[in-house]
Amino acid sequence: MYAVDSTEIALPPHRGLWAFTTAPKNFVRMHTCLRIADETSACPHRIVLSTGAVHEQEVLSHLVIDADATYVFDRGYVNYERFIEWAEAKIFFVARLKHNNKCQLLAHHPLPEHSSIRLDAEVRITHPVKKITAQLRLVEYDVVDRHGKMKRIRVLTNRRDISAEAISEIYRGRWRVETFFKWMKQHSNLGKLYSTKEKAVWNQIYLSLIAHALCELVRLTMKPEATCRELLQLLRIYADVEKQSLEQVLLMPIRRKKRDRNIRPRERPPNERQSNEKKRIVITE
């Protein structure tokens, strides 16, 4: 399963004008196709870097390639034309729809008992301009958000070989890409750029990705019960020791302590007007 999403990395208002997007924001995007192997293992499969002026859907052709996997998308990637193309090419996908996305209901599938599934049906989608159509599967289920309110989730898919509950679990697994972005910004210091020059920003992102891949490789081969954050801390502390000593350190049991963290509110940048044009840069390799 592949989870596709992007995250923004902010640049200063004045030194980041090469990535100007809209006043007063300058930022770059890391478009990610995250490969989810199981509940504990996930690693980037493909990465596309761009400036903020490049929309998420513009780089999907570089991320969605394999036909033997299931791609999971959030509401920002709704595009009926692409859905129809993927259905014809037999590329499996599970995509969340917005509340105003329209589908023509064709037939209902039986619902499982004592389940959160509220709708399992065959629908027809139509491109508003090209008038091309495709028959897909619509699944709706209820979840409780972090505020305790009931929310209805609508997902569109071309997977008909699994149950509706399995489809809802696949979409829930999309949250793994959000935790990956959090790891990159908090633990690999990607949220703090050491230089605002263009090449330096791209290099720092790639180095952070390499660090994550190495930590995941060490975790899978030596200590599967540990987390990438714990291994990264050990590697930073014992980076200068010999290989045998480092292996002994990594195999030692990890003592986890719960600590209260005082989270400071994030300061908003001043609303300064800029007359720059949007910069469009895309890096696929």
Side-chain angles (χ1 to χ4, degrees):
M1 185 179 78
Y2 296 136
V4 178
D5 206 344
S6 66
T7 186
E8 299 177 359
I9 302 173
L11 278 77
H14 302 291
R15 296 184 179 179
L17 291 179
W18 61 270
F20 173 78
T21 305
T22 179
K25 297 179 65 176
N26 306 320
F27 62 89
V28 297
R29 279 197 175 106
M30 183 174 68
H31 308 268
T32 303
C33 178
L34 187 72
R35 182 174 183 175
I36 303 174
D38 52 37
E39 294 181 357
T40 61
S41 178
C43 194
H45 182 61
R46 292 187 178 90
I47 296 290
V48 176
L49 305 181
S50 73
T51 51
V54 179
H55 195 266
E56 292 93 337
Q57 296 192 12
E58 297 184 49
V59 300
L60 276 181
S61 59
H62 301 284
L63 299 175
V64 181
I65 299 176
D66 301 333
D68 57 347
T70 300
Y71 293 89
V72 189
F73 306 93
D74 201 6
R75 290 172 291 186
Y77 292 88
V78 175
N79 188 317
Y80 279 5
E81 182 178 3
R82 290 189 181 274
F83 293 167
I84 295 171
E85 292 176 357
W86 292 340
E88 294 176 352
K90 296 182 179 181
I91 296 178
F92 296 115
F93 64 91
V94 175
R96 182 179 177 182
L97 296 181
K98 302 177 182 179
H99 68 280
N100 57 350
N101 291 133
K102 297 181 179 179
C103 303
Q104 182 183 358
L105 187 63
L106 301 178
H108 289 269
H109 295 297
L111 299 179
E113 297 181 357
H114 308 291
S115 174
S116 61
I117 305 298
R118 295 294 174 261
L119 177 66
D120 185 7
E122 292 291 324
V123 297
R124 178 182 290 114
I125 62 172
T126 304
H127 190 270
V129 179
K130 296 185 178 181
K131 302 302 179 181
I132 54 179
T133 62
Q135 183 173 333
L136 299 173
R137 184 182 184 183
L138 178 66
V139 176
E140 296 184 2
Y141 60 94
D142 293 334
V143 296
V144 180
D145 60 11
R146 59 182 180 179
H147 302 291
K149 296 182 179 180
M150 191 67 68
K151 182 187 298 183
R152 180 66 57 90
I153 305 295
R154 305 171 65 215
V155 293
L156 194 67
T157 180
N158 57 348
R159 292 289 303 266
R160 295 181 176 87
D161 56 329
I162 57 179
S163 64
E165 292 181 339
I167 292 175
S168 65
E169 290 297 326
I170 288 177
Y171 182 75
R172 289 189 183 101
R174 192 206 68 85
W175 190 253
R176 294 287 299 278
V177 71
E178 302 291 347
T179 58
F180 167 74
F181 292 149
K182 182 178 179 180
W183 191 96
M184 293 292 293
K185 291 182 178 181
Q186 289 187 354
H187 304 307
S188 66
N189 296 330
L190 191 59
K192 179 181 179 181
L193 298 175
Y194 297 106
S195 175
T196 57
K197 295 182 180 179
E198 180 180 345
K199 291 185 178 180
V201 171
W202 305 135
N203 289 338
Q204 183 174 345
I205 295 174
Y206 280 126
L207 289 173
S208 299
L209 291 169
I210 293 172
H212 178 273
L214 291 175
C215 289
E216 182 68 11
L217 179 62
V218 173
R219 189 189 69 83
L220 293 174
T221 55
M222 299 187 63
K223 207 165 190 175
E225 71 279 3
T227 63
C228 285
R229 180 184 64 84
E230 294 167 343
L231 291 178
L232 182 61
Q233 290 177 343
L234 292 175
L235 292 173
R236 284 172 174 171
I237 296 173
Y238 300 98
D240 297 333
V241 303
E242 297 180 356
K243 181 180 178 181
Q244 295 180 352
S245 301
L246 180 60
E247 291 178 354
Q248 294 177 359
V249 171
L250 294 177
L251 294 176
M252 292 175 57
I254 297 176
R255 299 180 180 178
R256 296 182 173 91
K257 295 182 180 180
K258 295 183 179 180
R259 296 181 299 177
D260 296 332
R261 298 181 178 179
N262 297 324
I263 302 176
R264 298 177 59 186
R266 191 174 181 181
E267 297 181 358
R268 298 184 61 181
N271 188 11
E272 299 179 358
R273 294 185 178 180
Q274 297 181 359
S275 59
N276 303 78
E277 296 181 356
K278 294 183 179 181
K279 308 296 182 180
R280 297 175 56 84
I281 302 174
V282 179
I283 300 177
T284 59
E285 296 181 358

